[in-house]
Amino acid sequence: TQLPERAIFKIKQYNSAICGISEWHLEEAQVFWAKKEQSLALSILKQMIKKLDSSFKDKENDAGLKVIYAECLRVCGSWLAETCLENPAVIMQTYLEKAVKVAGSYDGNSRELRNGQMKAFLSLARFSDTQYQRIENYMKSSEFENKQTLLKRAKEEVGLLREHKIQTNRYTVKVQRELELDECALRALREDRKRFLCKAVENYINCLLSGEEHDLWVFRLCSLWLENSGVSEVNGMMKKDGMKISSYKFLPLMYQLAARMGTKMTGGLGFHEVLNNLISRISLDHPHHTLFIILALANANKDEFLSKPETTRRSRITKSTSKENSHLDEDRTEAATRIIHSIRSKRCKMVKDMEALCDAYIILANMDASQWRAQRKGINIPANQPITKLKNLEDVVVPTMEIKVDPTGEYENLVTIKSFKTEFRLAGGLNLPKIIDCVGSDGKERRQLVKGRDDLRQDAVMQQVFQMCNTLLQRNTETRKRKLTICTYKVVPLSQRSGVLEWCTGTVPIGEYLVNSEDGAHRRYRPNDFSANQCQKKMMEVQKKSFEEKYDTFMTICQNFEPVFRYFCMEKFLDPAVWFEKRLAYTRSVATSSIVGYILGLGDRHVQNILINEQSAELVHIDLGVAFEQGKILPTPETVPFRLSRDIVDGMGITGVEGVFRRCCEKTMEVMRSSQETLLTIVEVLLYDPLFDWTMNPLKALYLQQRPEDESDLHSTPNADDQECKQSLSDTDQSFNKVAERVLMRLQEKLKGVEEGTVLSVGGQVNLLIQQAMDPKNLSRLFPGWKAWV
């Protein structure tokens, strides 16, 4: 209650103190700041800085003093920037740059100083980045556009005055002076933009060079670099100092960096040279994480080359239609081939074996298996398939295994490929992906799914985003202790049209468990209810009718089709303690995947695209091709934020969405919202990836909402072949940047709690989403294949 008096007392104490200042004083200022006593907190901090200024001149080698001094300058600069109480130039020069200078003026190995230095670099980088973004946003605004139009007209007017040699008078002088002032202001704005950009890039690099605590900011560094590939100063900094950053820090961005590879100078002076050199370095240091990505680009069109007789026989819809290669595609392929060639000179056997493995996978992926469509048992792999001849690839790791990153690059005791079993099985779906078993050097068999005629890069990148979200959830105490994570699996694209995926062992689609026509749980526990086929038929009949008729039909179905998912845990876990533990794990898993799926706009969550693990009871989401709210622009738009149908809720027990589920949703949402800068940066890099089209095209929509009604042949397959056409047809000319900007704007709104034009608290936002997801009106309007009644 006596905050002002205490603050004045502290200031007087600082002024009269003879001895030094401790970290405790800084913490006191931070307490005032947290209690919204901003002016008092800043007064204390400025008094401390003033005292430290004079002390620092006499004790420049005092490490402890440097730590406090640098931190006071950094915190004061950040607070002034937040409250906008000082000019940006003053904040930068007087506080943030000085903090960097103070923290950087040491040669020892003091951990505190190193951390202080890293924080100072990051604060200066973030401040410069904010100023750069402010100018960038202004230069994209309609106001700036209007000014540019007026400037152009003024130039034309001055040009005409000179051309016609109009005698100088008050009006002509005024016009010329205004033009000069406007041009000068524009030059100054562009110079400021460039200065803040270079300062941000320089300090992100220094931050990443200083330690490992802030490695996620490599996303923002790369985002700035790729956005400004034509700025020679940025390329120069990346060439000189960016190359000193440990190569493992760039691994999460390999897909996006590789997509920009090229041999021409189209990206600005030296951009491709610096980028290709960086990718070569990362590939040499961490070949097991990167070579498959580079090979997929080098082999972009290898499907047609390796299996031309097969492809010419097919005329049906496939998920990935071939497209004519642009010069950029050819340039990227050439650059990838050159990098492979340079790595081959140092790791000849590894590259040779990897190329043979990729070719074998691609040939198997494109093999016509329609003759075995009805067979459920193992089928012998034909003798002419190269995969049967691959043995003891001692330098090639099992591609569907997650390999822990070793910062030193000394990868030891890795599980490599010993052989492949001679039988395969068919997974359900249009293109009949093949299920094979890879035998590792440790003697264990690992099941894989080999898919053809399907671009898997979007799935691979979405898995990458899930892993980043897991990193954020792991860093938070509340979500870590609740074990809130999203289950992921490995996706390895091999070309534009084929790939191999990790088989999610021990999982079953929730649709397979609930509504399998032979022994589904609904049929076993509620034999007198409507059958799944009857429900689907009733909803199909009213698909083109009014919302009221759809709602009435849906409610009739719900009255005659009761949920039964509670029996899953009862059947699988007979011990009461284990049953309770697994049901808790299931509820937490639904909560985490629902919120993260909502943030990323993940759609097409029908009952075959969600698997449940029969050992852990956790959910695994597959087939991630509909993201960033593409589902809202389907012919039958998706009306729910995530799947929270009656059976999903039934599996949570008597409390349903209350208690554990709601709390876990709120904790996950808190982490997502508090990490909004990081998430926006990650997604921004993905959205501007030139290799994909995140938009919904007609062919993709056609497949998604005209899938066969009988889905009983679909099995536990990651990416169960239920959506269509990753590549756009002839409509790729639409303004991709506008689409990306719109997606980022909506993502930003979600992370700020903006729903239906209103800013909500975390609890309010979660409550609204749960209501939307469970609303029968919304569920009744979904495409019948989504099976909203299940």
Side-chain angles (χ1 to χ4, degrees):
T1 57
Q2 299 297 316
L3 281 181
E5 287 78 6
R6 283 182 63 206
I8 292 160
F9 173 74
K10 291 304 299 177
I11 292 166
K12 286 179 180 175
Q13 193 181 42
Y14 291 150
N15 286 334
S16 60
I18 299 167
C19 55
I21 293 172
S22 71
E23 286 181 29
W24 179 76
H25 301 124
L26 177 59
E27 286 169 14
E28 283 285 293
Q30 287 169 331
V31 167
F32 290 128
W33 181 264
K35 292 186 185 248
K36 307 292 181 189
E37 296 281 348
Q38 295 174 335
S39 57
L40 289 168
L42 283 165
S43 296
I44 293 171
L45 213 48
K46 284 180 179 177
Q47 288 288 340
M48 288 173 70
I49 290 167
K50 193 175 178 183
K51 183 165 178 61
L52 284 161
D53 258 333
S54 54
S55 304
F56 192 65
K57 289 170 188 169
D58 305 323
K59 302 177 182 178
E60 281 191 26
N61 296 321
D62 186 332
L65 195 65
K66 277 185 187 177
V67 171
I68 298 168
Y69 191 23
E71 186 64 3
C72 285
L73 288 165
R74 184 190 76 78
V75 171
C76 192
S78 300
W79 287 356
L80 287 168
E82 193 178 321
T83 51
C84 300
L85 288 171
E86 278 284 8
N87 182 287
V90 173
I91 293 170
M92 188 184 258
Q93 289 163 15
T94 313
Y95 297 99
L96 298 177
E97 285 183 343
K98 197 171 179 182
V100 165
K101 188 179 174 185
V102 170
S105 62
Y106 83 100
D107 303 315
N109 288 318
S110 162
R111 189 179 169 187
E112 287 79 14
L113 266 171
R114 196 163 56 251
N115 284 341
Q117 189 179 29
M118 194 164 30
K119 281 199 241 176
F121 283 136
L122 183 59
S123 290
L124 182 51
R126 296 295 305 123
F127 177 77
S128 306
D129 194 357
T130 304
Q131 298 307 314
Y132 161 77
Q133 286 178 69
R134 179 179 57 79
I135 296 170
E136 187 76 353
N137 290 337
Y138 170 67
M139 290 175 85
K140 287 177 184 172
S141 69
S142 55
E143 185 189 343
F144 183 76
E145 202 175 306
N146 293 338
K147 280 191 177 179
Q148 290 290 86
T149 308
L150 292 170
L151 185 64
K152 189 182 174 185
R153 283 179 192 163
K155 273 185 185 176
E156 287 169 1
E157 190 176 350
V158 169
L160 284 168
L161 290 171
R162 285 174 181 163
E163 189 183 327
H164 295 290
K165 296 177 182 176
I166 303 293
Q167 190 176 353
T168 305
N169 57 38
R170 191 179 293 176
Y171 175 74
T172 57
V173 169
K174 178 176 173 286
V175 169
Q176 285 179 346
R177 278 184 183 169
E178 282 178 353
L179 178 62
E180 284 166 13
L181 285 169
D182 286 346
E183 285 181 329
C184 187
L186 184 62
R187 273 197 305 276
L189 191 68
R190 285 180 175 147
E191 281 167 15
D192 280 351
R193 178 188 175 280
K194 194 171 186 177
R195 183 163 57 88
F196 284 124
L197 167 67
C198 292
K199 188 64 74 175
V201 169
E202 178 193 347
N203 285 282
Y204 279 130
I205 290 172
N206 288 335
C207 175
L208 291 163
L209 286 169
S210 304
E212 288 71 49
E213 284 84 347
H214 301 289
D215 283 355
L216 277 176
W217 288 108
V218 74
F219 278 89
R220 186 58 190 155
L221 170 65
C222 289
S223 181
L224 286 172
W225 179 33
L226 297 173
E227 270 175 36
N228 297 280
S229 57
V231 180
S232 55
E233 290 88 342
V234 173
N235 288 322
M237 282 188 276
M238 287 303 296
K239 185 175 183 177
K240 184 186 171 190
D241 298 316
M243 284 295 179
K244 295 174 189 171
I245 297 170
S246 300
S247 57
Y248 78 90
K249 297 189 181 189
F250 292 100
L251 283 176
L253 277 153
M254 265 309 292
Y255 281 113
Q256 289 70 45
L257 293 173
R260 266 78 167 193
M261 283 191 302
T263 58
K264 310 288 189 293
M265 301 301 278
T266 52
L269 185 65
F271 170 68
H272 283 139
E273 178 201 344
V274 179
L275 179 63
N276 294 355
N277 287 342
L278 175 63
I279 290 172
S280 294
R281 181 166 73 93
I282 301 166
S283 301
L284 281 169
D285 292 347
H286 309 278
H288 308 297
H289 293 84
T290 55
L291 270 180
F292 283 111
I293 296 169
I294 309 297
L295 275 167
L297 293 174
N299 296 341
N301 301 301
K302 214 161 188 179
D303 294 72
E304 289 180 32
F305 175 74
L306 291 173
S307 57
K308 202 152 196 176
E310 299 261 354
T311 54
T312 52
R313 287 202 297 267
R314 295 191 176 88
S315 59
R316 61 181 172 226
I317 293 175
T318 61
K319 290 177 84 171
S320 177
T321 53
S322 352
K323 60 185 181 100
E324 285 186 25
N325 282 336
S326 68
H327 292 303
L328 283 173
D329 290 332
E330 289 168 6
D331 193 37
R332 193 182 296 112
T333 302
E334 187 186 336
T337 307
R338 286 185 189 180
I339 288 172
I340 294 292
H341 183 72
S342 70
I343 297 166
R344 189 184 279 112
S345 61
K346 296 187 174 77
R347 297 181 182 270
C348 183
K349 190 173 185 306
M350 179 187 285
V351 172
K352 185 183 171 187
D353 287 350
M354 252 189 208
E355 285 179 324
L357 176 66
C358 288
D359 287 355
Y361 274 136
I362 292 170
I363 292 168
L364 180 63
N366 286 285
M367 180 185 79
D368 185 7
S370 53
Q371 60 183 309
W372 299 293
R373 182 181 288 277
Q375 198 161 325
R376 286 287 164 262
K377 295 179 182 176
I379 307 153
N380 285 325
I381 298 176
N384 63 349
Q385 285 290 319
I387 204 157
T388 59
K389 301 172 182 66
L390 294 177
K391 310 276 183 196
N392 301 318
L393 306 182
E394 293 171 1
D395 293 321
V396 183
V397 295
V398 176
T400 50
M401 279 184 69
E402 202 58 59
I403 304 154
K404 195 176 177 184
V405 174
D406 182 350
T408 65
E410 301 287 329
Y411 290 94
E412 294 173 355
N413 304 319
L414 295 173
V415 178
T416 56
I417 294 173
K418 187 179 178 185
S419 64
F420 288 89
K421 293 195 80 177
T422 55
E423 282 190 342
F424 75 96
R425 291 172 184 271
L426 289 177
L430 186 68
N431 293 320
L432 296 175
K434 290 92 183 170
I435 303 162
I436 60 171
D437 292 296
C438 176
V439 182
S441 54
D442 58 355
K444 291 181 184 174
E445 293 175 11
R446 289 170 180 83
R447 190 153 280 189
Q448 300 174 337
L449 186 74
V450 183
K451 298 188 82 174
R453 297 174 294 286
D454 186 3
D455 183 359
L456 295 179
R457 280 191 77 248
Q458 183 163 329
D459 292 74
V461 169
M462 289 304 289
Q463 289 297 324
Q464 173 191 2
V465 182
F466 282 173
Q467 285 169 348
M468 289 294 127
C469 290
N470 280 342
T471 303
L472 297 171
L473 291 165
Q474 194 59 31
R475 288 182 175 182
N476 181 276
T477 314
E478 291 289 325
T479 49
R480 186 173 61 248
K481 79 178 182 189
R482 286 178 170 83
K483 298 177 184 172
L484 300 185
T485 55
I486 308 159
C487 294
T488 59
Y489 55 89
K490 191 79 178 283
V491 181
V492 185
L494 300 167
S495 71
Q496 275 184 6
R497 296 179 63 242
S498 54
V500 60
L501 305 94
E502 176 188 357
W503 182 268
C504 297
T505 308
T507 62
V508 60
I510 58 172
E512 190 75 15
Y513 173 78
L514 290 167
V515 291
N516 184 310
S517 56
E518 293 171 18
D519 59 350
H522 274 284
R523 187 167 180 169
R524 287 184 285 118
Y525 291 104
R526 305 281 305 183
N528 298 324
D529 280 1
F530 287 172
S531 71
N533 284 342
Q534 278 178 293
C535 296
Q536 177 129 351
K537 192 178 176 185
K538 285 179 184 294
M539 286 309 295
M540 288 293 282
E541 285 168 1
V542 294
Q543 191 182 359
K544 293 182 180 176
K545 296 192 176 175
S546 68
F547 288 155
E548 289 76 14
E549 285 177 275
K550 286 182 181 179
Y551 175 73
D552 291 341
T553 306
F554 182 76
M555 293 309 290
T556 303
I557 289 170
C558 289
Q559 287 162 14
N560 293 278
F561 191 87
E562 293 294 331
V564 295
F565 207 29
R566 73 196 79 160
Y567 296 110
F568 178 85
C569 286
M570 289 183 185
E571 287 177 6
K572 306 290 179 186
F573 314 109
L574 302 179
D575 182 287
V578 177
W579 164 82
F580 182 76
E581 181 195 334
K582 299 301 180 187
R583 197 186 67 180
L584 197 61
Y586 164 78
T587 307
R588 288 169 169 169
S589 175
V590 176
T592 314
S593 57
S594 295
I595 295 300
V596 173
Y598 162 70
I599 294 292
L600 298 173
L602 189 61
D604 199 31
R605 297 299 87 207
H606 63 79
V607 289
Q608 297 300 137
N609 274 351
I610 304 175
L611 315 181
I612 185 163
N613 191 307
E614 294 180 296
Q615 279 80 47
S616 69
E618 293 176 315
L619 298 187
V620 185
H621 285 259
I622 61 168
D623 216 347
L624 311 171
V626 179
F628 304 119
E629 299 197 344
Q630 290 179 68
K632 287 190 174 180
I633 53 171
L634 284 164
T636 305
E638 297 200 343
T639 51
V640 291
F642 41 77
R643 187 175 194 103
L644 197 59
S645 52
R646 295 178 311 140
D647 265 300
I648 297 287
V649 176
D650 192 63
M652 299 175 193
I654 194 71
T655 56
V657 296
E658 301 308 326
V660 174
F661 177 77
R662 190 180 289 272
R663 270 202 310 278
C664 290
C665 282
E666 288 172 357
K667 295 298 176 189
T668 305
M669 184 65 87
E670 275 173 24
V671 171
M672 296 295 108
R673 280 171 67 160
S674 64
S675 312
Q676 63 173 288
E677 274 189 310
T678 310
L679 274 171
L680 283 165
T681 300
I682 291 167
V683 173
E684 182 180 36
V685 178
L686 309 184
L687 280 168
Y688 287 99
D689 187 329
L691 283 191
F692 317 110
D693 180 9
W694 294 96
T695 55
M696 181 62 62
N697 64 69
L699 192 56
K700 190 175 186 177
L702 172 74
Y703 187 89
L704 278 167
Q705 295 199 335
Q706 286 191 19
R707 59 170 74 88
E709 287 184 29
D710 180 18
E711 293 176 320
S712 62
D713 64 334
L714 290 172
H715 291 280
S716 171
T717 62
N719 215 314
D721 231 2
D722 271 334
Q723 56 128 10
E724 188 51 51
C725 189
K726 299 288 195 280
Q727 291 291 351
S728 187
L729 290 174
S730 58
D731 58 351
T732 51
D733 294 336
Q734 55 191 299
S735 178
F736 182 66
N737 281 355
K738 292 289 177 191
V739 173
E741 280 173 27
R742 192 164 60 246
V743 167
L744 285 168
M745 204 179 296
R746 179 64 192 118
L747 182 62
Q748 204 165 14
E749 284 180 352
K750 288 177 182 178
L751 294 169
K752 285 179 178 172
V754 179
E755 300 292 343
E756 299 171 356
T758 309
V759 180
L760 300 173
S761 64
V762 168
Q765 188 179 16
V766 165
N767 188 55
L768 179 70
L769 295 175
I770 291 172
Q771 285 175 356
Q772 288 175 346
M774 296 177 72
D775 187 346
K777 285 183 181 174
N778 289 337
L779 291 165
S780 67
R781 294 173 189 179
L782 289 163
F783 181 70
W786 205 83
K787 291 185 170 63
W789 55 89
V790 174

